[in-house]
Amino acid sequence: MHRRIAIRNLALIIGGAALLPSCTHDSGKATVKLKNVDINADQEKLIGDMAETIIPKTNTPGARDLQLHLFVLKMVDDCYTKKDQQDFMTGMGQFTELIQKHYSTSFGQCDVKQREQALLSIEQDKDPKSTTYPAELKTFYGIVKGQTVNGYTTSKYFMTKQVVYELVPGRYNAFYPVKKKQAV
């Protein structure tokens, strides 16, 4: 009888020791593992806030509900060149500094109007030699916006609920009315 209790307790200890590392989440690390880009939790939150500003939650799920910020990070890590990845990281730092300078707070602490205004001002600046918005910042914003929209339009939610996806365009209708020819 005591042997069963000892075996049960030993199994609980081993199982607990095996599960313990997965329970401790380092708050400074991002939730997605990336190979080429080093992102911390604050930067991941910034991209999540930007994506949520681009596609907000209404009666449909927003960008954060669909986890599009993780999609953006994965696409940057896997599909962009080293130069684009460096411009992305540099632009993220410039964006953070710009928001801190204009609003004296982080992007996540700004209200919705301030977020929209900040993103629209970057998008509307078409001057390639602009000193207000450097090229890296525009690259950063362009990647975040483009991949957020790409992720939304290719998401399972969008393809099944918003646009009814059909694998083959057009349907076969076997009961199409045919007029009979009149005998001459």
Side-chain angles (χ1 to χ4, degrees):
M1 189 69 149
H2 296 292
R3 190 177 341 153
R4 288 182 184 168
I5 293 172
I7 291 173
R8 184 189 66 191
N9 289 343
L10 185 61
L12 286 173
I13 291 171
I14 291 172
L19 291 176
L20 186 62
S22 66
C23 295
T24 59
H25 176 67
D26 189 6
S27 62
K29 296 216 177 209
T31 56
V32 64
K33 294 197 185 265
L34 303 173
K35 297 175 191 168
N36 302 317
V37 179
D38 188 26
I39 299 286
N40 62 31
D42 292 335
Q43 292 169 329
E44 181 181 322
K45 184 180 179 320
L46 170 67
I47 294 171
D49 292 337
M50 288 179 71
E52 188 67 27
T53 304
I54 294 168
I55 301 179
K57 180 177 183 172
T58 56
N59 57 352
T60 61
R64 195 174 299 278
D65 296 334
L66 298 174
Q67 297 185 343
L68 296 180
H69 61 290
L70 301 178
F71 176 79
V72 170
L73 290 173
K74 194 65 174 163
M75 292 301 286
V76 168
D77 189 54
D78 289 346
C79 300
Y80 284 87
T81 65
K82 288 285 185 196
K83 182 182 181 328
D84 288 338
Q85 291 171 353
Q86 290 171 348
D87 288 350
F88 181 83
M89 295 303 292
T90 304
M92 188 183 320
Q94 292 170 347
F95 181 78
T96 303
E97 291 171 8
L98 180 77
I99 296 300
Q100 186 67 35
K101 185 174 115 179
H102 283 309
Y103 300 110
S104 301
T105 186
S106 67
F107 188 75
Q109 299 296 323
C110 292
D111 63 18
V112 175
K113 289 288 185 193
Q114 291 172 331
R115 290 181 187 187
E116 290 173 356
Q117 180 185 10
L119 296 182
L120 281 173
S121 65
I122 295 170
E123 188 169 343
Q124 291 171 352
D125 184 22
K126 303 292 183 194
D127 184 15
K129 297 179 181 178
S130 174
T131 57
T132 309
Y133 304 113
E136 293 89 359
L137 188 137
K138 290 180 183 178
T139 300
F140 166 70
Y141 174 70
I143 289 172
V144 171
K145 181 179 179 187
Q147 291 304 324
T148 299
V149 171
N150 181 30
Y152 185 76
T153 56
T154 58
S155 69
K156 180 180 177 182
Y157 168 78
F158 185 80
M159 294 302 271
T160 58
K161 303 287 191 239
Q162 296 296 318
V163 177
V164 180
Y165 176 74
E166 292 186 34
L167 182 61
V168 178
R171 296 175 182 255
Y172 175 70
N173 188 357
F175 298 107
Y176 190 78
V178 178
K179 294 181 182 176
K180 292 184 179 182
K181 282 188 170 182
Q182 303 252 339
V184 189

